Amino acid sequence: MAYILRGKLCGLICAECPENLAHVIVRLYRVRDTQNVTALAVANAKETFAIQGDDDVEAKVPFLLAETRTDANGNYSFAIGEGDQYQGEAVEVDVLCHTVPQLKPGPQEPPPLQFSITIVQPRWRRAGDDFVAIWDYCLPYRFWCLIRARFGAWTICGTLRTCAEPHAPIAGATVRAFDADWLQDDALGDAVTDAAGRFRIDYLASDFTLTPFSPLINVELASGPDVYFTAQLGSVTILSETQATGRTPGRENVGHCFCVELCSREVLPPDVEGVPHWQQVEVFDIHPFPSLGGFSPQGYAGGPALSCVFGGGVTLKGNCPLRNSAIAANALEYRFLIGEWTWPGGSDDPTALPSVAPASLAPLTQILGTHVGYVFYTNGLGLGDSAAVIIDTADLQPGGWIRIDNKAVTVDMRDGSTSVVNVTTSNFLRTFDLLVVNTDAITSLHPPKLPGGLPILDAGRSLLAAESEPVRRYRLGFEVRDATTLALVASDGLDSIVFDNTPVIVALDLEELRSNACNPVAGGVVHLLYSIDHPHLRFFSLSISNNNGIAHPPPPLPAANFTPPPPPGNYLFRGGAGGPHLPGNNGGFPVNVALDPPCAYRVAISWQTRHYLSSSHSIDRLYCK
């Protein structure tokens, strides 16, 4: 048995600019007798955060329980075994930094620094033979910027948008920051804006405190720089602030962490048709209003009552213009990315939703033919005509990128010949479809758990965990880039979606038919043996009928329905079983048929899954009385 503590650590440069605490050492200490555990475990972090001196760190060495290192995304994981003499009690969490993210190299390497965050009482839950808890934490900017300052790090986080509404982000622009010095302007650094118009510039004190006469003279009287900015999009200057801006309130003497919102009047927001975006999966918005059914955090669509999953070909809808509205000569390309959620420990678990987020996303290349629009042309009879523009795997470029602009389309000239027409902005009419995902190709990467289904002789038994299909949950990303500059101009994502192409495992039999399936039922009771299992079942029900209609309905015959969450555990409804078969042929679910008249009877089990647009199905067994 082990206690497994996982989580993610980050720090805020400002509320809009978090960063992962990458490659830091996380230390867990046993709580000392002198500490009020209850009070400290519920205290606000501002009351427990403390930078540790060398003596403080040395004094805590005998109480060190475990330590680990975070990955590039700030994720950490502890596995504390029985040999560590730990029983799930509260622990003190410290972090040891040898540097901070994106620290610009300087003349001296700063010494390492350890700080204490808080005392945590993990909320343990049983997972097999182990106990698992999650603790994520993001250091407030006041504390994280203090740590960064101790390493001599200075950072500017900002956004660049259009001044005109709707204040659209400007991607691919080079932003430069300067300090308005008395003798000369100091260049602090530059950065290129991403698809959301965000940029980040890291610099050192030496970038703004040195003068032409240094080290003899330093005329910088304030502790921080007076900051102003310029920006270029391609070869065009779209923002040109001056020293005067750097000496206005809010720009003078900025601190180690400085966040700013910039706008350009030289760039106009694009027309709606020119805005790349991903809007829907089938008919479900990926960013719906709260009153509408979008996607749950677990990846189910349509609101709690529907909780739809997807299989087969799944259409992703939105818009990608042919050209970049900021640089009209440049074509745009788009792609989708995919990653799969997993379980703690890495093994499939049909009893739990996958909870470990994908570490990264890969290009989504499993696609089906997608009708993305129409190309218009003049046919061989001199008449206006159109042809569908279809993309498929042959259109995928390296990295999964798709470019519609200039795509060659073979068209029917209506005179017995064909011709090739290239897609341009003047002859193309788009549909709302971006891509049809081949989910069969994605889910088939996992071999089926019970490839032959359940034999009728096994009807009535429950499936083993190794035979039960788990929930397959995925994360999707969407990116649009300028095909010439390769700068991202738009991006979006869907944190969770469930793909499923597994068959319903179902078997139905009667004990009375086991020995001789042709003999009429002689007794007053029939015994139903049924098994039904699927990770996304909406309902199942059993009934007995004859030519006059239903003789034994559900209930009292077995039936069950998916119950909308909360709690999330309702997502794990997957069916049931009535059995098992017994040697005396008296197992299963008993039904009193003594009063039923002589006739032919049909025992049916019906079901429906929660797949989008699915319908109900049934199988049956016949008997005579």
Side-chain angles (χ1 to χ4, degrees):
M1 182 188 72
Y3 287 88
I4 300 171
L5 178 62
R6 292 190 178 91
K8 180 174 182 175
L9 298 178
C10 66
L12 296 177
I13 291 175
C14 60
E16 302 81 16
C17 187
E19 67 177 353
N20 299 325
L21 267 61
H23 308 302
V24 301
I25 294 175
V26 186
R27 289 175 169 169
L28 301 184
Y29 291 95
R30 303 181 193 273
V31 178
R32 277 82 73 198
D33 294 338
T34 56
Q35 295 174 299
N36 186 334
V37 177
T38 302
L40 292 173
V42 299
N44 193 293
K46 69 180 181 181
E47 301 170 8
T48 57
F49 174 86
I51 293 177
Q52 305 289 291
D54 292 341
D55 293 340
D56 299 319
V57 175
E58 186 66 27
K60 294 166 73 168
V61 168
F63 303 96
L64 182 63
L65 175 63
E67 71 177 34
T68 189
R69 184 179 292 273
T70 61
D71 63 15
N73 297 313
N75 298 308
Y76 69 88
S77 180
F78 289 96
I80 308 171
E82 294 180 357
D84 296 305
Q85 297 182 337
Y86 176 72
Q87 300 299 320
E89 64 270 16
V91 292
E92 185 175 16
V93 182
D94 279 24
V95 172
L96 173 63
C97 296
H98 288 87
T99 185
V100 291
Q102 301 189 44
L103 177 64
K104 185 178 177 181
Q108 260 186 318
E109 186 173 330
L113 179 67
Q114 182 166 324
F115 58 89
S116 179
I117 298 178
T118 190
I119 288 180
V120 174
Q121 175 55 70
R123 297 183 178 180
W124 300 108
R125 63 176 179 85
R126 193 89 190 192
D129 294 332
D130 300 324
F131 290 93
V132 177
I134 305 295
W135 188 69
D136 297 332
Y137 187 75
C138 207
L139 280 164
Y141 66 87
R142 182 159 63 97
F143 298 140
W144 183 234
C145 289
L146 175 63
I147 299 298
R148 291 186 60 84
R150 294 287 290 264
F151 283 89
W154 295 74
T155 300
I156 298 170
C157 276
T159 56
L160 177 61
R161 299 185 174 94
T162 61
C163 294
E165 292 186 350
H167 308 300
I170 301 174
T174 300
V175 179
R176 293 181 172 85
F178 299 90
D179 171 36
D181 207 339
W182 290 107
L183 297 179
Q184 65 176 20
D185 288 349
D186 299 317
L188 303 179
D190 60 76
V192 177
T193 57
D194 65 12
R198 296 185 295 254
F199 66 91
R200 172 174 173 164
I201 297 172
D202 291 276
Y203 60 105
L204 302 174
S206 57
D207 291 319
F208 64 88
T209 56
L210 297 179
T211 74
F213 308 102
S214 296
L216 299 177
I217 300 175
N218 185 353
V219 298
E220 185 69 48
L221 303 178
S223 59
D226 305 327
V227 182
Y228 69 96
F229 299 90
T230 65
Q232 283 188 296
L233 188 60
S235 60
V236 179
T237 298
I238 60 172
L239 178 67
S240 184
E241 295 182 346
T242 65
Q243 275 196 353
T245 309
R247 302 202 183 279
T248 56
R251 294 290 192 87
E252 289 183 298
N253 187 26
V254 303
H256 285 79
C257 296
F258 176 57
C259 290
V260 64
E261 293 185 0
L262 305 175
C263 76
S264 170
R265 300 185 184 280
E266 305 300 320
V267 179
L268 297 177
D271 180 80
V272 174
E273 282 291 316
V275 178
H277 66 282
W278 172 29
Q279 184 69 27
Q280 292 179 323
V281 176
E282 296 294 347
V283 299
F284 304 102
D285 282 7
I286 65 170
H287 300 300
F289 290 104
S291 60
L292 302 178
F295 285 82
S296 71
Q298 294 79 17
Y300 297 97
L306 290 179
S307 294
C308 290
V309 303
F310 300 90
V314 178
T315 305
L316 309 182
K317 298 174 177 288
N319 174 40
C320 181
L322 298 183
R323 301 289 180 88
N324 188 346
S325 60
I327 311 174
N330 293 359
L332 290 180
E333 299 173 336
Y334 67 94
R335 69 174 179 177
F336 284 89
L337 307 165
I338 190 169
E340 185 171 2
W341 290 71
T342 55
W343 293 265
S347 299
D348 292 351
D349 184 357
T351 67
L353 296 174
S355 59
V356 180
S360 60
L361 301 183
L364 198 167
T365 57
Q366 299 94 338
I367 70 172
L368 297 172
T370 306
H371 182 193
V372 296
Y374 296 90
V375 63
F376 288 82
Y377 63 100
T378 301
N379 63 30
L381 305 177
L383 302 175
D385 213 332
S386 65
V389 179
I390 308 293
I391 60 167
D392 54 26
T393 54
D395 293 285
L396 294 178
Q397 301 180 51
W401 294 101
I402 298 169
R403 185 190 305 180
I404 308 299
D405 186 63
N406 203 42
K407 174 180 168 62
V409 180
T410 300
V411 300
D412 186 346
M413 297 301 287
R414 314 299 181 186
D415 60 0
S417 67
T418 61
S419 183
V420 173
V421 176
N422 291 87
V423 172
T424 68
T425 54
S426 61
N427 67 11
F428 181 69
L429 176 65
R430 68 177 178 87
T431 65
F432 197 50
D433 295 352
L434 289 169
L435 199 73
V436 177
V437 184
N438 184 356
T439 68
D440 288 287
I442 293 170
T443 59
S444 66
L445 297 176
H446 300 281
K449 304 290 186 182
L450 204 60
L454 194 65
I456 191 171
L457 290 179
D458 280 353
R461 77 168 177 88
S462 299
L463 266 61
L464 304 174
E467 298 171 319
S468 301
E469 296 289 349
V471 174
R472 301 292 181 192
R473 177 185 178 196
Y474 300 85
R475 176 178 288 173
L476 298 180
F478 174 65
E479 293 181 340
V480 180
R481 73 177 183 180
D482 184 302
T484 301
T485 67
L486 303 185
L488 285 181
V489 300
S491 63
D492 209 336
L494 179 60
D495 188 61
S496 295
I497 184 172
V498 178
F499 293 151
D500 177 85
N501 292 288
T502 60
V504 174
I505 302 299
V506 61
L508 176 65
D509 201 5
L510 274 69
E511 288 276 30
E512 287 68 24
L513 302 180
R514 285 289 178 116
S515 56
N516 190 332
C518 295
N519 279 347
V521 171
V525 176
V526 294
H527 297 81
L528 309 184
L529 297 170
Y530 72 91
S531 302
I532 183 165
D533 185 274
H534 192 271
H536 309 293
L537 209 61
R538 184 170 298 284
F539 73 83
F540 76 89
S541 64
L542 278 84
S543 64
I544 298 178
S545 62
N546 58 24
N547 287 339
N548 292 321
I550 301 294
H552 297 277
L557 265 60
N561 292 277
F562 167 75
T563 303
N570 289 1
Y571 288 124
L572 298 173
F573 167 68
R574 55 185 308 131
H581 161 67
L582 297 178
N585 287 345
N586 59 349
F589 186 87
V591 183
N592 189 338
V593 298
L595 300 180
D596 293 352
C599 194
Y601 289 87
R602 175 179 182 259
V603 182
I605 181 169
S606 303
W607 70 87
Q608 184 177 354
T609 66
R610 302 200 318 273
H611 285 83
Y612 174 60
L613 298 181
S614 69
S615 57
S616 61
H617 301 268
S618 66
I619 60 171
D620 56 28
R621 289 284 278 161
L622 305 178
Y623 72 91
C624 294
K625 182 177 183 295

